[in-house]
Amino acid sequence: MSRLVKVENQLHYINRIKNQVAKANIDNISRTGFYEHFFYKHTEVRWALLAGLVSRNAGWNMTDLRNQWFRELLTEQDQLRLFAIYECGNWTIFDDACPQLLLYEQSKLEGVPLFHLLRELGVSTFMEKEWHHFWLYRDEERLCTALIINEQHVIEEALIQKQLFRDVISSKLFYKVEQYSHFSYVVLPTITGHLYTLYVRRFQNVSSRIKLGRQLAFLLFHPDLHKNILAFMQHQHHTGSRRDYYTYTTWSPRVESQVLRLLYPVIEHDRSDREDWYKKRREVTHFFYPIKEWKPVPREKWIQHKWMMIYVAATFKKWLAPD
């Protein structure tokens, strides 16, 4: 009888988690809020704060597509294609990671690991192994790295290898976006107004994205930065507008930046059955090797330069083809 109750409880956990994921995975704003509030409750799961920061950047990139400069540079179709890529990646990572976080939370409440249920939630066997490792050894940095590795492999199959992304990568559109360093740079704002950033050129390469994720984690939890980045995230509600952090800086591009929910509707996603990427690629040890550390330097001037490039390009294009 006790075993039957235990099975019933497990089914209850699975169904409840699926419902919670569906409710939280509405749009970029809800996903970002979930990640960050989860971290405030479970600070040992560093990846949740990293995910919140990266999700903020995804929201800012989404709304940028609708500002006057990008409307000049990109066609309506191109804007929608890029939005679809940002939204699909943001949704997919949350759909995979949120069940893991909720199951960890339930494991803490029960006092026993429930990670064998991850397979019922469509999560890789790689993460089942890594969550068990974390439960035993409490290696926070390793868990963060493992989640970076896992999520980048998840979007590799769910997004990067899909035709939409391949079409964008092979088009002049991607060259334009990469030229302005807009597709794959991440800003880390601080409550003091300083901005830090990292950029990856080969975004379509899974190893490059994993390296970027690990470098972002290094900056986010660097003792010289963590307090000020965390204070920004705690004090500034995420809206999707870059005004979120330009209100703290001494400079802004002075381009319109509306809140995300005024620009985009809720997008319906189909969750197709996901194959376990770890069954195809077992050798991941090298992704855990220590990364090279460095002294963080504010990059406001670099960001100003990139925005100036966008402004000049948009102005030049408008001058060449006036209404």
Side-chain angles (χ1 to χ4, degrees):
M1 181 66 181
S2 60
R3 182 176 179 180
L4 179 61
V5 172
K6 186 176 181 181
V7 171
E8 289 177 347
N9 285 343
Q10 291 178 358
L11 291 173
H12 172 70
Y13 297 152
I14 291 170
N15 290 330
R16 187 176 66 186
I17 286 173
K18 287 181 178 180
N19 289 333
Q20 287 178 286
V21 173
K23 290 178 181 179
N25 202 359
I26 299 299
D27 62 10
N28 172 262
I29 305 299
S30 62
R31 296 166 202 142
T32 305
F34 176 90
Y35 286 137
E36 294 175 9
H37 285 99
F38 183 90
F39 174 79
Y40 303 149
K41 292 191 294 181
H42 309 283
T43 56
E44 68 275 19
V45 185
R46 299 182 186 184
W47 182 87
L49 188 65
L50 175 63
L53 179 69
V54 174
S55 189
R56 283 183 183 243
N57 276 267
W60 296 330
N61 288 340
M62 290 177 187
T63 57
D64 285 347
L65 295 171
R66 293 301 195 182
N67 74 37
Q68 65 263 42
W69 296 347
F70 273 89
R71 289 200 307 269
E72 193 67 44
L73 287 169
L74 305 175
T75 66
E76 176 76 11
Q77 181 185 23
D78 286 342
Q79 292 169 40
L80 293 175
R81 290 164 72 194
L82 285 172
F83 168 74
I85 288 173
Y86 287 129
E87 169 65 15
C88 179
N90 199 230
W91 182 92
T92 299
I93 289 176
F94 190 90
D95 185 63
D96 184 79
C98 185
Q100 299 180 55
L101 302 180
L102 291 172
L103 195 59
Y104 170 70
E105 185 174 61
Q106 189 64 46
S107 296
K108 285 180 68 174
L109 289 172
E110 295 291 333
V112 294
L114 300 169
F115 307 122
H116 61 284
L117 298 179
L118 287 173
R119 67 192 70 179
E120 302 296 329
L121 294 163
V123 177
S124 70
T125 51
F126 170 76
M127 281 315 303
E128 181 180 346
K129 175 174 65 74
E130 289 297 328
W131 278 108
H132 277 293
H133 187 278
F134 178 70
W135 187 264
L136 291 174
Y137 301 106
R138 314 305 293 177
D139 188 336
E140 297 179 13
E141 185 175 346
R142 181 182 176 92
L143 178 66
C144 184
T145 299
L147 282 160
I148 292 169
I149 294 168
N150 181 69
E151 299 313 328
Q152 292 308 319
H153 278 94
V154 167
I155 67 166
E156 180 70 17
E157 297 194 3
L159 174 63
I160 306 301
Q161 298 302 325
K162 297 299 184 183
Q163 193 61 46
L164 172 63
F165 190 87
R166 287 179 172 273
D167 288 345
V168 168
I169 287 291
S170 62
S171 69
K172 292 182 180 179
L173 167 62
F174 186 74
Y175 170 76
K176 280 193 253 181
V177 177
E178 283 289 271
Q179 184 181 14
Y180 307 131
S181 299
H182 196 79
F183 191 83
S184 45
Y185 81 79
V186 179
V187 176
L188 295 84
T190 65
I191 198 73
T192 60
H194 288 304
L195 304 176
Y196 297 81
T197 186
L198 285 173
Y199 172 67
V200 58
R201 287 197 177 276
R202 298 181 63 216
F203 183 82
Q204 63 270 39
N205 181 272
V206 66
S207 297
S208 297
R209 297 196 307 273
I210 290 171
K211 181 180 179 181
L212 173 65
R214 297 194 65 198
Q215 290 174 330
L216 287 169
F218 168 78
L219 281 183
L220 178 57
F221 289 96
H222 193 283
D224 294 343
L225 304 186
H226 178 66
K227 180 180 177 181
N228 287 331
I229 298 174
L230 182 61
F232 166 81
M233 297 175 78
Q234 290 175 323
H235 285 85
Q236 180 60 55
H237 175 70
H238 176 57
T239 69
S241 167
R242 287 196 186 269
R243 287 197 302 267
D244 289 353
Y245 64 84
Y246 277 125
T247 56
Y248 296 88
T249 64
T250 58
W251 177 90
S252 79
R254 299 191 178 183
V255 63
E256 65 185 19
S257 184
Q258 296 189 52
V259 299
L260 186 138
R261 284 177 171 166
L262 293 180
L263 293 175
Y264 298 108
V266 172
I267 306 299
E268 295 291 334
H269 294 265
D270 292 325
R271 191 193 192 283
S272 56
D273 290 336
R274 212 171 282 149
E275 291 187 29
D276 185 351
W277 65 266
Y278 191 53
K279 292 180 179 179
K280 300 178 182 177
R281 181 171 186 171
R282 291 275 182 175
E283 183 47 56
V284 295
T285 306
H286 60 289
F287 290 129
F288 287 101
Y289 292 163
I291 63 171
K292 184 179 179 181
E293 299 184 358
W294 71 97
K295 183 176 177 57
V297 177
R299 300 294 303 278
E300 291 96 307
K301 289 185 178 180
W302 184 88
I303 294 172
Q304 289 177 30
H305 175 68
K306 294 306 172 186
W307 275 110
M308 185 61 67
M309 287 178 64
I310 296 170
Y311 167 74
V312 170
T315 302
F316 186 66
K317 183 177 180 182
K318 188 175 183 179
W319 178 73
L320 287 177
D323 294 336

